[in-house]
Amino acid sequence: MNIGIPAETRPGETRVAATPETVKKLAAGGRHSILVQSGAGVAASVPDSEYEAAGARIVAGAREV
């Protein structure tokens, strides 16, 4: 299954739909492909590199997610 995590668009919103730990659990076993929009975790102090380390692929925009 493909799972997409877009960046939040609401002004002032600091939450993100998934944490790197959640991505790691979803990616375990290779049954799911996790796509995270670049910068999705910035407001929550989670850099793209943490999502990549957890097994997600970073994509440029919401359309790719």
Side-chain angles (χ1 to χ4, degrees), residues 12-15 39-46:
E13 182 60 74
T14 61
R15 294 176 291 179
V42 170
S45 299
V46 182

Side-chain angles (χ1 to χ4, degrees), residues 27-41:
R31 294 188 324 195
H32 303 295
S33 175
I34 316 299
L35 305 173
V36 177
Q37 183 178 350
S38 180

Side-chain angles (χ1 to χ4, degrees), residues 6-64:
E8 182 60 57
T9 59
R10 187 174 196 181
E13 182 60 74
T14 61
R15 294 176 291 179
V16 63
T19 64
E21 186 62 30
T22 303
V23 167
K24 186 176 182 179
K25 291 175 184 176
L26 291 170
R31 294 188 324 195
H32 303 295
S33 175
I34 316 299
L35 305 173
V36 177
Q37 183 178 350
S38 180
V42 170
S45 299
V46 182
D48 290 347
S49 60
E50 288 188 27
Y51 285 108
E52 287 180 307
R57 185 166 58 105
I58 304 300
V59 296
R63 286 194 186 270
E64 292 86 359

